[in-house]
Amino acid sequence: MENLEIARTLEQVADLLEIQGANVFRVRAYRNAARTVSSLGRPVAEMVAAGEDLRQLPGIGEDLSAYLTELVETGRLTLLDELEKQLPGTLSELVRVDGIGPKRARLLHDRLGIDSLAALRKALEAGQLATLRGFGAKSIERIRRSLDEVEARGRRYRLADADQLVRPLLEYLRQAPDVEALEAAGSFRRRMETVGDVDLLAISARPAAVMRRFTRYPDAVRVEAAGTTRGTIVLRSGLHVDLRILPRRAYGAALHYFTGSKAHNIEIRRLGLERGLRISEYGVFQLKRAGGARRIGGAREADVFRAVGLPWIPPELRENRGEIEAARAGTLPHLVDEGDIRGDLQVHTTWSDGRDSVEAMARACATLGYAYLAITDHSAAVTVAGGLDPARLERQWREIAGVRRRVRGVKILRGMEVDILRDGTLDLPDEYLDRLDVVVVAVHSHRTLSRTAMTDRIVRALEHPAVDILAHPTGRLIGEREPYAVDIDAVLEAAAARDVAVEINAQPDRLDLSDILARRARELGVRLVIDTDAHSVDQLRYMTYGVAQARRAWLEAGDVVNTLEPDALERWLNRRRRARRRPAAAKAAS
Ligand code: DGT
Ligand code: CA
Ligand code: CA
Ligand code: ZN
């Protein structure tokens, strides 16, 4: 069973439980598990087959681990079968709409054949609901409004999109009276690849005035709630934003709590309880034997960590994936940061599908303070992107030679994003591959090969002595396209064996490898490289998203090739040219 299918099954369980009015935490547990599975990029089935402990996955405990195993081994989930005896499974999503309860969901199904939100949308637009008894104009309008909302809420937003929405809102709110602190917590602060909603925290002596300004934000289409210290608005894009205004003494505790993740919070709270402390969004409290509690901290986030004997943990690591143990052992990684990045090793230009010239890209990289960049336009097989054949590649080299003379301070490497053809051979003759400074290889076609064929294909490409970097290794597009079927561990092992660097592609819809897989890569001894794959000068700024995923993957500067200084990078790029000469020389001598 594929991960996507497993995730859908878990979502369905959550929906049906919700119909039955189950505990919200129970419902949320299934939704979180669904998210974990769908973002895994590695088949759960494979983990089960290998006898791995699923409880190491975020949000997967005893029960869910058993359910996942059952799903993988039998293709069914007894729990879901039981729930479906009580209500048709496909109806489950309808009850998320205000004004539709289980009864009405069944009525809509039986009378109009509506079995999904999409079908409901269609029936609404076709005016069919009005034909049903009990659905007056008012009630239909309510359903329509709520459906808009559910559709928006069901969506997750790419981090880069959320950034674009949140930055101006923060600027706007900073102009409210007496705002002393203001920041976004939640998945946004943890720099997750997507965010569900945004959780803002503020300190102000005049919360009412701040809340008023918040609810009047011009980009807000709706105010969902507006209390004295807590409010929610919905932006035009559908993104929900919560704002909590806090007293200074609780700000740090709230920042920690609302940064999450939930799994991390639960563990920290447990550690607190072991020490007789209560840790919550309100502060850190010493529990008294006689009952009651005394506040011992909460103004600063570090108070929370200090109370449980830990150093401050970077938000990107707070997923309860070992960061608490590492903090305790003093082995937290020194995470790579943007300042460590010395260059970009995958950028496109007008020679293929890029928007800007070689010179413009080089100048922009120089302005960013980079020491080097690699020009890596597509090879000929990618005809839609105007890929280069050898003749055009040579012309491009002449242009690069000219730009090298004109643009100083940044080293321009001759590279190419060479297609991995269906059989694992490369889309450029060896004599040209040998004359490139950087060879990036990638899959852009035949994405539906069997898992074995895809794995063999990529591994074969990595065995070519000219290859330096494997780009966007799983081919996923967030929210649009699943990774292709591939044994990613086999690919990573081949990369480690050949010292091929594997990419974290920083395009906001790729982020490929993902955080989880990049961490796996590091564990397998693979070097990583963070590339923007920029198709314009503007996209060079995506580096920040690649670095964020690298941090979530626990990477240090030493794990990332493009933190190397130019001479060290050159040594690495020549690592095999040197090694290759030896067998060649030996052959000549024999
Ligand atoms: P999202 O919005 O789905 O991308 O993910 P988050 O992590 O931003 O989650 P959200 O917005 O539901 O809640 C923000 C943080 O609040 C979350 O990361 C941890 C904390 N939190 C929320 N609910 C609970 C809970 O039931 N227990 C604990 N311990 N913390 C919670
Ligand atoms: Ca959130
Ligand atoms: Ca929230
Ligand atoms: Zn590509």
Side-chain angles (χ1 to χ4, degrees), residues 197-199 242 244:
D197 73 355
V198 174
D199 309 277
D242 292 339
R244 289 179 175 81

Side-chain angles (χ1 to χ4, degrees), residues 344-383:
D344 203 329
L345 294 179
Q346 203 204 147
V347 312
H348 294 256
T349 73
T350 44
W351 280 92
S352 65
D353 56 350
R355 268 215 327 260
D356 292 311
S357 66
V358 171
E359 177 158 353
M361 295 305 275
R363 287 195 189 280
C365 284
T367 304
L368 289 171
Y370 286 167
Y372 48 82
L373 81 154
I375 302 294
T376 57
D377 280 299
H378 285 287
S379 62
V382 194
T383 44

Side-chain angles (χ1 to χ4, degrees), residues 23-326:
N23 176 303
V24 292
F25 294 112
R26 188 159 174 231
V27 173
R28 198 180 293 162
Y30 287 98
R31 295 207 195 286
N32 286 340
R35 196 181 301 159
T36 297
V37 170
S38 66
S39 67
L40 206 53
R42 180 175 172 225
V44 173
E46 194 180 75
M47 297 185 69
V48 170
E52 292 183 49
D53 190 354
L54 298 177
R55 289 172 305 178
Q56 69 189 355
L57 299 173
I60 307 294
E62 196 73 56
D63 288 355
L64 275 156
S65 158
Y67 291 143
L68 290 178
T69 308
E70 189 196 349
L71 266 171
V72 165
E73 287 177 348
T74 70
R76 310 188 60 85
L77 189 57
T78 322
L79 171 69
L80 180 61
D81 293 349
E82 265 157 26
L83 288 168
E84 282 184 350
K85 276 182 203 146
Q86 295 149 43
L87 199 89
T90 46
L91 290 193
S92 54
E93 53 184 12
L94 293 188
V95 301
R96 283 191 245 157
V97 178
D98 246 342
I100 300 182
K103 259 189 175 170
R104 279 191 154 187
R106 244 172 272 170
L107 182 73
L108 288 170
H109 177 258
D110 293 346
R111 301 289 287 278
L112 297 176
I114 295 171
D115 60 2
S116 66
L117 291 175
L120 175 63
R121 168 64 68 193
K122 257 196 197 150
L124 256 178
E125 304 310 339
Q128 291 178 320
L129 261 55
T131 65
L132 294 179
R133 195 186 305 273
F135 284 78
K138 246 187 169 168
S139 150
I140 289 173
E141 198 37 48
R142 177 170 168 221
I143 289 171
R144 185 194 306 282
R145 266 207 315 269
S146 173
L147 180 59
D148 291 345
E149 213 176 286
V150 168
E151 285 172 346
R153 208 189 302 144
R155 215 158 62 217
R156 292 185 66 79
Y157 293 76
R158 291 187 290 232
L159 182 59
D161 297 336
D163 260 344
Q164 301 269 356
L165 295 165
V166 169
R167 209 173 298 129
L169 172 57
L170 288 176
E171 237 161 69
Y172 167 90
L173 278 177
R174 280 206 182 91
Q175 292 158 32
D178 297 332
V179 173
E180 262 182 60
L182 177 67
E183 65 201 292
S187 51
F188 184 87
R189 183 169 180 234
R190 302 199 311 282
R191 304 272 83 190
M192 273 182 73
E193 61 191 29
T194 63
V195 305
D197 73 355
V198 174
D199 309 277
L200 302 183
L201 303 176
I203 304 176
S204 170
R206 295 175 59 196
V210 176
M211 193 55 72
R212 204 173 317 118
R213 186 165 172 85
F214 179 61
T215 57
R216 290 178 185 169
Y217 185 49
D219 191 43
V221 286
R222 216 157 43 77
V223 176
E224 184 147 287
T228 42
T229 59
R230 183 171 170 196
T232 303
I233 59 175
V234 184
L235 305 185
R236 212 175 301 281
S237 57
L239 181 66
H240 283 54
V241 183
D242 292 339
L243 171 66
R244 289 179 175 81
I245 303 166
L246 303 147
R248 191 176 306 135
R249 60 167 206 246
Y251 184 77
L255 181 59
H256 176 265
Y257 181 89
F258 289 108
T259 294
S261 68
K262 188 175 158 186
H264 168 94
N265 288 354
I266 288 170
E267 189 55 24
I268 293 286
R269 191 169 50 199
R270 200 184 57 73
L271 287 180
L273 283 173
E274 278 178 12
R275 295 166 182 243
L277 302 175
R278 187 172 72 220
I279 296 172
S280 72
E281 62 268 52
Y282 305 110
V284 181
F285 303 89
Q286 181 79 56
L287 296 168
K288 294 183 192 162
R289 206 160 289 164
R294 181 173 59 89
R295 171 184 296 276
I296 60 164
R300 295 175 341 117
E301 193 175 50
D303 296 351
V304 174
F305 291 111
R306 197 176 317 114
V308 291
L310 297 179
W312 183 84
I313 298 175
E316 294 93 333
L317 297 185
R318 300 184 198 169
E319 300 290 348
N320 196 22
R321 291 179 192 155
E323 75 279 9
I324 292 169
E325 293 77 358

Side-chain angles (χ1 to χ4, degrees), residues 576-590:
R576 239 178 275 124
R577 251 173 267 266
R578 287 195 303 249
R580 227 180 332 140
R581 249 178 238 134
R582 267 177 254 131
K587 208 189 257 171
S590 71

